[in-house]
Every structure is written in C-alpha cells, then in structure tokens.
Coordinates of all heavy atoms in Angstrom, one line a residue:
M1 N -18.7 -16.9 131.6 CA -18.0 -17.0 132.9 C -16.6 -17.6 132.7 O -16.4 -18.6 132.0 CB -18.8 -17.8 133.8 CG -18.2 -17.9 135.2 SD -19.1 -18.9 136.3 CE -19.4 -17.7 137.5
S2 N -15.6 -16.9 133.2 CA -14.2 -17.3 133.0 C -13.9 -18.5 134.0 O -14.4 -18.5 135.1 CB -13.3 -16.1 133.3 OG -12.0 -16.6 133.4
K3 N -13.1 -19.4 133.5 CA -12.7 -20.5 134.4 C -11.3 -20.2 135.0 O -10.6 -21.2 135.5 CB -12.7 -21.8 133.6 CG -14.1 -22.2 133.2 CD -14.1 -23.6 132.7 CE -15.5 -23.9 132.3 NZ -15.9 -25.3 132.4
T4 N -10.8 -19.0 134.9 CA -9.5 -18.6 135.4 C -9.6 -18.7 137.0 O -10.5 -18.2 137.6 CB -9.1 -17.2 135.0 OG1 -9.2 -17.1 133.6 CG2 -7.8 -16.8 135.6
K5 N -8.6 -19.4 137.5 CA -8.5 -19.5 139.0 C -7.3 -18.7 139.5 O -6.2 -18.7 138.9 CB -8.3 -21.0 139.4 CG -9.6 -21.8 139.1 CD -9.4 -23.2 139.6 CE -10.7 -23.9 139.4 NZ -10.6 -25.3 139.9
L6 N -7.5 -17.9 140.6 CA -6.5 -17.2 141.2 C -5.6 -18.1 142.0 O -6.1 -19.1 142.6 CB -7.0 -16.1 142.1 CG -7.8 -14.9 141.3 CD1 -8.4 -14.0 142.4 CD2 -6.8 -14.2 140.5
P7 N -4.3 -17.9 142.1 CA -3.4 -18.7 142.9 C -3.8 -18.5 144.4 O -4.3 -17.4 144.8 CB -2.0 -18.2 142.6 CG -2.2 -16.9 142.0 CD -3.6 -16.8 141.4
H8 N -3.5 -19.5 145.2 CA -3.7 -19.3 146.6 C -2.4 -19.7 147.3 O -1.9 -20.7 147.1 CB -4.8 -20.2 147.1 CG -5.1 -20.1 148.5 ND1 -5.8 -18.9 149.0 CD2 -4.8 -20.8 149.6 CE1 -5.9 -19.1 150.3 NE2 -5.3 -20.2 150.7
P9 N -1.8 -18.8 148.2 CA -2.3 -17.5 148.5 C -2.1 -16.5 147.4 O -1.3 -16.8 146.5 CB -1.5 -17.1 149.7 CG -0.2 -17.9 149.6 CD -0.6 -19.2 148.9
L10 N -2.9 -15.5 147.4 CA -2.8 -14.5 146.4 C -1.4 -13.8 146.3 O -0.7 -13.7 147.4 CB -3.8 -13.4 146.6 CG -5.3 -13.8 146.5 CD1 -6.2 -12.6 146.9 CD2 -5.6 -14.3 145.1
P11 N -1.0 -13.5 145.1 CA 0.4 -12.9 145.0 C 0.5 -11.5 145.4 O 0.5 -10.6 144.5 CB 0.7 -13.1 143.5 CG -0.6 -13.0 142.8 CD -1.6 -13.7 143.8
L12 N 0.4 -11.2 146.7 CA 0.6 -9.8 147.1 C 1.6 -9.7 148.2 O 1.8 -10.7 149.0 CB -0.7 -9.2 147.6 CG -1.9 -9.8 148.0 CD1 -2.4 -9.5 149.4 CD2 -2.9 -8.9 147.2
Q13 N 2.1 -8.5 148.3 CA 3.0 -8.2 149.4 C 2.3 -7.2 150.3 O 1.8 -6.2 149.9 CB 4.3 -7.6 148.9 CG 5.3 -7.2 150.0 CD 5.7 -8.4 150.9 OE1 6.3 -9.3 150.4 NE2 5.3 -8.3 152.1
Q14 N 2.2 -7.5 151.6 CA 1.6 -6.7 152.5 C 2.6 -5.9 153.4 O 3.7 -6.5 153.7 CB 0.7 -7.5 153.5 CG -0.4 -8.2 152.7 CD -1.1 -9.3 153.6 OE1 -0.5 -10.1 154.2 NE2 -2.4 -9.2 153.6
Y15 N 2.2 -4.7 153.8 CA 3.1 -3.9 154.7 C 2.2 -3.4 155.8 O 1.0 -3.1 155.7 CB 3.7 -2.7 153.9 CG 4.6 -3.1 152.9 CD1 4.2 -3.4 151.6 CD2 6.0 -3.2 153.2 CE1 5.1 -3.8 150.6 CE2 6.9 -3.6 152.2 CZ 6.5 -3.9 150.9 OH 7.4 -4.3 150.0
A16 N 2.8 -3.4 157.0 CA 2.1 -3.0 158.2 C 3.0 -2.2 159.1 O 4.3 -2.4 159.2 CB 1.6 -4.2 159.0
R17 N 2.5 -1.2 159.8 CA 3.2 -0.4 160.8 C 3.0 -0.9 162.2 O 1.9 -1.2 162.6 CB 2.7 1.1 160.7 CG 3.3 2.0 161.7 CD 2.8 3.4 161.6 NE 3.3 4.0 160.4 CZ 2.5 4.4 159.4 NH1 1.2 4.2 159.5 NH2 2.9 4.9 158.3
C18 N 4.1 -1.0 162.9 CA 4.0 -1.4 164.3 C 3.4 -0.3 165.1 O 3.9 0.8 165.1 CB 5.4 -1.8 164.9 SG 5.4 -2.2 166.6
I19 N 2.3 -0.5 165.9 CA 1.7 0.5 166.7 C 1.8 0.1 168.2 O 1.5 1.0 169.0 CB 0.2 0.7 166.3 CG1 -0.6 -0.6 166.3 CG2 0.2 1.4 164.9 CD1 -2.1 -0.4 166.1
D20 N 2.2 -1.1 168.5 CA 2.3 -1.5 169.9 C 3.5 -2.5 170.1 O 3.3 -3.6 169.7 CB 1.0 -2.2 170.4 CG 1.0 -2.6 171.8 OD1 2.0 -2.3 172.5 OD2 0.1 -3.3 172.2
A21 N 4.6 -2.0 170.6 CA 5.7 -2.9 170.8 C 5.9 -3.1 172.3 O 7.0 -3.6 172.7 CB 7.0 -2.2 170.2
S22 N 4.9 -2.8 173.1 CA 5.0 -3.0 174.5 C 4.9 -4.5 174.9 O 4.5 -5.3 174.1 CB 4.0 -2.1 175.2 OG 2.7 -2.6 174.9
Q23 N 5.2 -4.7 176.2 CA 5.0 -6.0 176.8 C 5.7 -7.2 176.1 O 5.1 -8.2 175.8 CB 3.5 -6.3 176.9 CG 2.8 -5.3 177.8 CD 1.3 -5.6 177.9 OE1 0.7 -6.4 177.2 NE2 0.6 -4.8 178.8
R24 N 6.9 -7.0 175.8 CA 7.7 -8.0 175.2 C 7.8 -9.2 176.2 O 8.2 -8.9 177.3 CB 9.1 -7.5 174.8 CG 10.0 -8.6 174.2 CD 11.4 -8.0 173.9 NE 12.3 -9.0 173.4 CZ 13.2 -8.8 172.5 NH1 13.4 -7.6 172.0 NH2 14.0 -9.8 172.1
P25 N 7.5 -10.4 175.8 CA 7.6 -11.5 176.7 C 9.0 -11.7 177.2 O 10.0 -11.6 176.4 CB 7.1 -12.7 175.9 CG 6.3 -12.1 174.8 CD 6.9 -10.8 174.5
A26 N 9.2 -12.0 178.5 CA 10.5 -12.2 179.0 C 11.3 -13.3 178.4 O 12.5 -13.3 178.3 CB 10.4 -12.5 180.5
D27 N 10.6 -14.4 177.9 CA 11.2 -15.5 177.3 C 11.4 -15.4 175.7 O 11.8 -16.3 175.1 CB 10.5 -16.8 177.6 CG 9.1 -16.8 177.0 OD1 8.6 -15.8 176.6 OD2 8.5 -17.9 176.9
H28 N 11.1 -14.2 175.2 CA 11.2 -14.0 173.7 C 12.7 -13.9 173.3 O 13.5 -13.1 173.8 CB 10.5 -12.7 173.3 CG 10.5 -12.5 171.8 ND1 9.6 -13.1 171.0 CD2 11.4 -11.8 171.0 CE1 9.9 -12.7 169.7 NE2 11.0 -11.9 169.7
I29 N 13.1 -14.8 172.4 CA 14.4 -14.8 171.8 C 14.3 -14.5 170.3 O 13.6 -15.3 169.6 CB 15.1 -16.1 172.0 CG1 15.2 -16.4 173.5 CG2 16.5 -16.1 171.3 CD1 15.8 -17.8 173.8
G30 N 14.8 -13.4 169.9 CA 14.7 -13.0 168.5 C 14.4 -11.5 168.3 O 14.5 -10.7 169.2
D31 N 14.1 -11.2 167.0 CA 13.8 -9.8 166.7 C 12.4 -9.3 167.2 O 11.5 -10.1 167.4 CB 13.8 -9.6 165.2 CG 15.1 -9.9 164.5 OD1 16.1 -9.6 165.1 OD2 15.1 -10.5 163.4
W32 N 12.4 -8.1 167.5 CA 11.1 -7.4 168.1 C 10.9 -6.2 167.3 O 11.8 -5.4 167.0 CB 11.3 -7.1 169.6 CG 10.0 -6.8 170.2 CD1 9.6 -5.5 170.5 CD2 9.0 -7.7 170.6 NE1 8.4 -5.6 171.1 CE2 8.0 -6.9 171.2 CE3 8.8 -9.0 170.6 CZ2 6.8 -7.4 171.7 CZ3 7.6 -9.6 171.1 CH2 6.7 -8.8 171.6
P33 N 9.6 -5.9 166.9 CA 9.4 -4.7 166.1 C 9.5 -3.4 166.9 O 9.4 -3.4 168.1 CB 7.9 -4.9 165.7 CG 7.3 -5.8 166.7 CD 8.4 -6.7 167.2
A34 N 9.9 -2.3 166.2 CA 10.0 -1.0 166.8 C 8.7 -0.2 166.5 O 8.2 -0.2 165.3 CB 11.2 -0.3 166.2
P35 N 8.2 0.5 167.4 CA 7.0 1.3 167.2 C 7.2 2.4 166.1 O 8.2 3.0 166.0 CB 6.7 2.0 168.5 CG 7.9 1.8 169.3 CD 8.7 0.7 168.8
G36 N 6.2 2.5 165.2 CA 6.3 3.4 164.1 C 7.0 2.9 162.8 O 6.8 3.5 161.8
Q37 N 7.7 1.8 162.9 CA 8.4 1.2 161.7 C 7.4 0.5 160.9 O 6.4 -0.2 161.4 CB 9.5 0.2 162.2 CG 10.7 0.9 162.7 CD 11.4 1.6 161.7 OE1 11.5 2.9 161.7 NE2 12.0 0.9 160.7
V38 N 7.6 0.5 159.6 CA 6.8 -0.2 158.6 C 7.6 -1.5 158.2 O 8.8 -1.4 157.8 CB 6.4 0.6 157.4 CG1 5.7 -0.2 156.3 CG2 5.6 1.8 157.8
Y39 N 6.9 -2.6 158.2 CA 7.6 -3.9 157.9 C 6.8 -4.6 156.8 O 5.6 -4.6 156.7 CB 7.6 -4.8 159.1 CG 8.4 -4.2 160.3 CD1 7.8 -3.6 161.3 CD2 9.8 -4.3 160.3 CE1 8.5 -3.1 162.4 CE2 10.5 -3.8 161.3 CZ 9.9 -3.2 162.4 OH 10.6 -2.7 163.4
P40 N 7.5 -5.4 156.0 CA 6.8 -6.4 155.1 C 6.3 -7.5 155.9 O 7.0 -8.1 156.7 CB 7.9 -6.8 154.1 CG 9.2 -6.6 154.8 CD 9.0 -5.5 155.8
V41 N 5.0 -7.9 155.7 CA 4.4 -8.9 156.6 C 3.6 -9.8 155.8 O 3.2 -9.6 154.6 CB 3.5 -8.2 157.7 CG1 4.3 -7.3 158.6 CG2 2.3 -7.5 157.1
Q42 N 3.2 -10.9 156.4 CA 2.2 -11.8 156.0 C 1.2 -12.0 157.1 O 1.6 -12.2 158.2 CB 2.7 -13.2 155.6 CG 3.5 -13.2 154.3 CD 4.0 -14.6 154.0 OE1 4.0 -15.5 154.8 NE2 4.4 -14.7 152.7
M43 N -0.1 -11.9 156.8 CA -1.1 -12.1 157.7 C -1.6 -13.5 157.5 O -2.1 -13.9 156.4 CB -2.3 -11.1 157.5 CG -1.9 -9.7 157.5 SD -1.7 -9.1 159.2 CE -1.7 -7.4 158.9
R44 N -1.5 -14.4 158.5 CA -1.9 -15.8 158.4 C -2.7 -16.2 159.6 O -2.5 -15.7 160.7 CB -0.7 -16.7 158.4 CG 0.3 -16.5 157.3 CD 1.3 -17.6 157.3 NE 2.6 -17.1 156.8 CZ 3.8 -17.5 157.2 NH1 3.9 -18.5 158.0 NH2 4.8 -17.0 156.6
R45 N -3.7 -17.1 159.4 CA -4.5 -17.6 160.5 C -3.7 -18.7 161.2 O -3.0 -19.5 160.6 CB -5.8 -18.2 160.0 CG -6.7 -17.2 159.5 CD -8.1 -17.7 159.5 NE -9.0 -16.6 159.1 CZ -9.5 -15.7 159.9 NH1 -9.2 -15.7 161.2 NH2 -10.3 -14.7 159.5
N46 N -3.8 -18.7 162.5 CA -3.2 -19.8 163.3 C -4.0 -21.0 163.1 O -5.3 -21.0 163.2 CB -3.2 -19.4 164.8 CG -2.6 -20.4 165.7 OD1 -3.1 -21.5 165.8 ND2 -1.5 -20.0 166.4
A47 N -3.4 -22.1 162.8 CA -4.1 -23.4 162.5 C -4.9 -23.9 163.7 O -5.9 -24.5 163.5 CB -3.1 -24.4 162.0
R48 N -4.4 -23.7 164.9 CA -5.1 -24.2 166.1 C -6.2 -23.3 166.6 O -7.3 -23.7 166.8 CB -4.0 -24.4 167.2 CG -4.6 -25.1 168.4 CD -3.5 -25.5 169.4 NE -2.4 -24.5 169.6 CZ -2.5 -23.5 170.5 NH1 -3.5 -23.4 171.3 NH2 -1.5 -22.6 170.6
T49 N -5.9 -22.0 166.6 CA -6.9 -21.1 167.2 C -7.8 -20.4 166.2 O -8.9 -19.9 166.5 CB -6.2 -20.0 168.1 OG1 -5.4 -19.2 167.2 CG2 -5.4 -20.6 169.2
G50 N -7.3 -20.2 164.9 CA -8.0 -19.5 163.9 C -7.8 -18.0 163.9 O -8.3 -17.3 163.1
N51 N -7.1 -17.5 164.9 CA -6.8 -16.1 165.0 C -5.8 -15.6 164.0 O -4.9 -16.4 163.7 CB -6.3 -15.7 166.4 CG -7.3 -15.9 167.5 OD1 -8.5 -15.9 167.3 ND2 -6.8 -16.2 168.7
V52 N -6.0 -14.4 163.5 CA -5.0 -13.9 162.5 C -3.8 -13.4 163.3 O -3.8 -12.8 164.3 CB -5.6 -12.7 161.7 CG1 -4.6 -12.1 160.8 CG2 -6.8 -13.2 160.9
Q53 N -2.6 -13.8 162.7 CA -1.3 -13.4 163.3 C -0.5 -12.7 162.2 O -0.7 -13.0 161.1 CB -0.6 -14.7 163.8 CG -1.2 -15.3 165.0 CD -0.5 -16.6 165.4 OE1 0.0 -17.4 164.6 NE2 -0.3 -16.7 166.7
V54 N 0.4 -11.9 162.7 CA 1.3 -11.1 161.8 C 2.7 -11.8 161.8 O 3.3 -11.9 162.9 CB 1.4 -9.7 162.2 CG1 2.3 -8.9 161.3 CG2 0.0 -9.0 162.2
H55 N 3.2 -12.1 160.7 CA 4.5 -12.7 160.5 C 5.3 -11.6 159.8 O 5.0 -11.2 158.7 CB 4.5 -13.9 159.7 CG 3.8 -15.1 160.3 ND1 4.5 -16.1 161.0 CD2 2.5 -15.4 160.5 CE1 3.6 -16.9 161.5 NE2 2.4 -16.5 161.2
V56 N 6.3 -11.1 160.5 CA 7.2 -10.0 159.9 C 8.3 -10.8 159.1 O 9.0 -11.6 159.6 CB 7.8 -9.1 160.9 CG1 8.7 -8.1 160.3 CG2 6.8 -8.4 161.8
L57 N 8.3 -10.5 157.8 CA 9.2 -11.1 156.9 C 10.7 -10.7 157.2 O 10.9 -9.5 157.3 CB 8.9 -10.9 155.4 CG 7.5 -11.3 155.0 CD1 7.2 -11.0 153.6 CD2 7.3 -12.8 155.3
G58 N 11.6 -11.6 157.3 CA 13.0 -11.3 157.6 C 13.3 -11.3 159.1 O 14.5 -11.2 159.4
F59 N 12.3 -11.4 160.0 CA 12.6 -11.4 161.4 C 13.0 -12.8 161.8 O 12.5 -13.8 161.2 CB 11.3 -11.0 162.2 CG 11.3 -9.6 162.6 CD1 11.9 -8.6 161.8 CD2 10.5 -9.2 163.7 CE1 11.8 -7.3 162.2 CE2 10.4 -7.9 164.0 CZ 11.1 -6.9 163.3
Y60 N 13.9 -12.9 162.7 CA 14.3 -14.2 163.3 C 13.7 -14.3 164.7 O 13.8 -13.4 165.5 CB 15.8 -14.3 163.4 CG 16.3 -15.4 164.3 CD1 16.3 -16.7 163.8 CD2 16.7 -15.2 165.6 CE1 16.8 -17.7 164.6 CE2 17.1 -16.2 166.4 CZ 17.1 -17.5 165.9 OH 17.5 -18.5 166.6
A61 N 13.0 -15.4 165.0 CA 12.5 -15.7 166.3 C 12.7 -17.1 166.7 O 12.3 -18.0 166.0 CB 11.0 -15.3 166.4
E62 N 13.4 -17.3 167.8 CA 13.7 -18.7 168.2 C 12.6 -19.2 169.2 O 12.2 -20.3 169.1 CB 15.0 -18.7 168.9 CG 15.5 -20.1 169.3 CD 16.9 -20.0 169.9 OE1 17.8 -19.3 169.3 OE2 17.1 -20.6 170.9
R63 N 12.2 -18.3 170.1 CA 11.2 -18.7 171.0 C 10.5 -17.4 171.5 O 11.1 -16.4 171.8 CB 11.8 -19.4 172.2 CG 10.8 -20.0 173.1 CD 11.5 -20.8 174.3 NE 12.1 -19.8 175.2 CZ 13.2 -20.0 175.8 NH1 13.9 -21.1 175.6 NH2 13.7 -19.1 176.6
P64 N 9.2 -17.4 171.8 CA 8.2 -18.4 171.3 C 8.0 -18.2 169.8 O 8.8 -17.5 169.2 CB 6.9 -18.0 172.1 CG 7.1 -16.6 172.4 CD 8.6 -16.3 172.5
Y65 N 7.0 -18.9 169.3 CA 6.8 -18.9 167.8 C 6.9 -17.4 167.3 O 6.4 -16.5 167.9 CB 5.4 -19.5 167.6 CG 5.0 -19.7 166.1 CD1 5.8 -20.5 165.3 CD2 3.9 -19.0 165.6 CE1 5.5 -20.6 164.0 CE2 3.6 -19.2 164.3 CZ 4.4 -20.0 163.5 OH 4.0 -20.2 162.2
G66 N 7.4 -17.3 166.1 CA 7.7 -16.0 165.5 C 6.6 -15.3 164.9 O 6.7 -14.7 163.8
A67 N 5.4 -15.2 165.5 CA 4.3 -14.5 165.0 C 3.9 -13.5 166.1 O 4.1 -13.7 167.3 CB 3.1 -15.4 164.7
F68 N 3.2 -12.4 165.7 CA 2.8 -11.3 166.6 C 1.3 -11.2 166.5 O 0.7 -11.5 165.5 CB 3.5 -10.0 166.2 CG 4.9 -10.0 166.3 CD1 5.7 -10.3 165.1 CD2 5.6 -9.8 167.5 CE1 7.1 -10.3 165.2 CE2 7.0 -9.8 167.5 CZ 7.7 -10.1 166.4
A69 N 0.7 -10.7 167.6 CA -0.7 -10.5 167.6 C -1.1 -9.4 166.7 O -0.3 -8.4 166.5 CB -1.2 -10.1 169.1
Q70 N -2.3 -9.5 166.1 CA -2.7 -8.5 165.1 C -2.9 -7.1 165.7 O -2.7 -6.2 164.9 CB -4.1 -9.0 164.5 CG -4.5 -8.3 163.3 CD -5.8 -8.8 162.7 OE1 -6.5 -9.6 163.4 NE2 -6.1 -8.4 161.5
H71 N -3.2 -7.0 167.0 CA -3.4 -5.7 167.5 C -2.1 -4.8 167.6 O -2.1 -3.6 167.8 CB -4.0 -5.8 168.9 CG -3.1 -6.2 170.0 ND1 -2.9 -7.5 170.3 CD2 -2.2 -5.5 170.8 CE1 -2.0 -7.6 171.3 NE2 -1.5 -6.4 171.6
R72 N -1.0 -5.5 167.4 CA 0.3 -4.7 167.4 C 0.6 -4.0 166.1 O 1.6 -3.2 166.0 CB 1.5 -5.7 167.7 CG 1.4 -6.3 169.1 CD 2.7 -7.1 169.4 NE 2.6 -7.7 170.7 CZ 3.0 -7.1 171.8 NH1 3.5 -5.9 171.8 NH2 3.0 -7.8 172.9
F73 N -0.1 -4.3 165.1 CA 0.2 -3.7 163.7 C -1.1 -3.2 163.1 O -2.2 -3.6 163.3 CB 0.7 -4.8 162.8 CG 2.1 -5.3 163.2 CD1 2.3 -6.3 164.1 CD2 3.2 -4.7 162.6 CE1 3.6 -6.7 164.5 CE2 4.5 -5.1 163.0 CZ 4.7 -6.1 163.9
E74 N -0.9 -2.1 162.2 CA -1.9 -1.6 161.4 C -1.5 -1.8 159.9 O -0.4 -1.4 159.6 CB -2.3 -0.2 161.7 CG -1.2 0.8 161.4 CD -1.7 2.3 161.7 OE1 -2.8 2.5 162.0 OE2 -0.8 3.1 161.5
P75 N -2.4 -2.3 159.1 CA -2.0 -2.5 157.7 C -1.8 -1.1 157.0 O -2.6 -0.2 157.3 CB -3.2 -3.2 157.1 CG -4.0 -3.7 158.2 CD -3.7 -2.9 159.4
V76 N -0.8 -0.9 156.2 CA -0.6 0.3 155.5 C -0.7 0.2 153.9 O -1.0 1.1 153.3 CB 0.7 1.1 155.9 CG1 0.6 1.5 157.3 CG2 1.9 0.2 155.7
A77 N -0.4 -1.0 153.4 CA -0.4 -1.2 152.0 C -0.4 -2.6 151.6 O 0.1 -3.5 152.3 CB 0.9 -0.5 151.3
Q78 N -0.9 -2.9 150.4 CA -0.9 -4.2 149.7 C -0.4 -4.0 148.3 O -1.1 -3.1 147.6 CB -2.2 -4.9 149.7 CG -2.6 -5.4 151.1 CD -3.9 -6.2 151.0 OE1 -4.6 -6.3 150.0 NE2 -4.3 -6.9 152.1
I79 N 0.6 -4.6 147.9 CA 1.1 -4.5 146.5 C 0.9 -5.8 145.8 O 1.4 -6.8 146.2 CB 2.6 -4.1 146.5 CG1 2.7 -2.7 147.2 CG2 3.1 -4.0 145.1 CD1 4.1 -2.3 147.4
W80 N 0.2 -5.8 144.7 CA 0.0 -7.0 143.8 C 1.3 -7.3 143.1 O 1.9 -6.4 142.5 CB -1.1 -6.8 142.8 CG -2.5 -6.9 143.5 CD1 -3.2 -5.9 144.1 CD2 -3.2 -8.1 143.7 NE1 -4.4 -6.4 144.6 CE2 -4.4 -7.8 144.3 CE3 -3.0 -9.4 143.3 CZ2 -5.4 -8.7 144.7 CZ3 -4.0 -10.4 143.7 CH2 -5.1 -10.0 144.3
L81 N 1.7 -8.5 143.2 CA 2.9 -9.0 142.4 C 2.5 -9.7 141.2 O 1.6 -10.5 141.2 CB 3.7 -9.9 143.3 CG 4.1 -9.4 144.7 CD1 4.8 -10.5 145.5 CD2 5.0 -8.2 144.6
N82 N 3.2 -9.4 140.1 CA 3.0 -10.2 138.9 C 4.2 -10.3 138.0 O 5.2 -9.8 138.3 CB 1.9 -9.5 138.0 CG 2.1 -8.1 137.7 OD1 3.2 -7.6 137.9 ND2 1.2 -7.4 137.1

C-alpha cells in the first residue's frame, strides 16, 4: 500500500457553462455570468450552510458575496494540473 498523499484541494481546473443567468439580485455589484458562456470555476462548500457554491475565477463581486448557486451552472470539464 502506497503512503502517497494527494494534495488538498486537488490540483484541477474546473470549467462550467452558465445555464441560468436570470434573477440577478438588485443589490448585486460586480460581474454577472452570461448564459451559454463557459467559465473557469471552483466549486466550494459554504462554511456556514454546507451548500456547494460556484466561484467564477476572474470575476469581481463587491456585494453580495461573489459566489453563485450551483443550479446556475453545469460542469463541462475538469483538467488535472501537474
């Protein structure tokens, strides 16, 4: 049995397509995804709720917090980095 440990988080780049860009909150300040566009993302769990959220890499969001609900995106690819 190998004692090799994988790094955490794993060295991968994820990509997801925006499938729902509707209902932008009125108080949202920052970038908003366009439907059909593919973005580099990180899927992270919210520390408080435990729900998975999508963080679009390179997006700027001042308010509210710069994460999107998982139902707005569909994963399209994962690329292992080495």
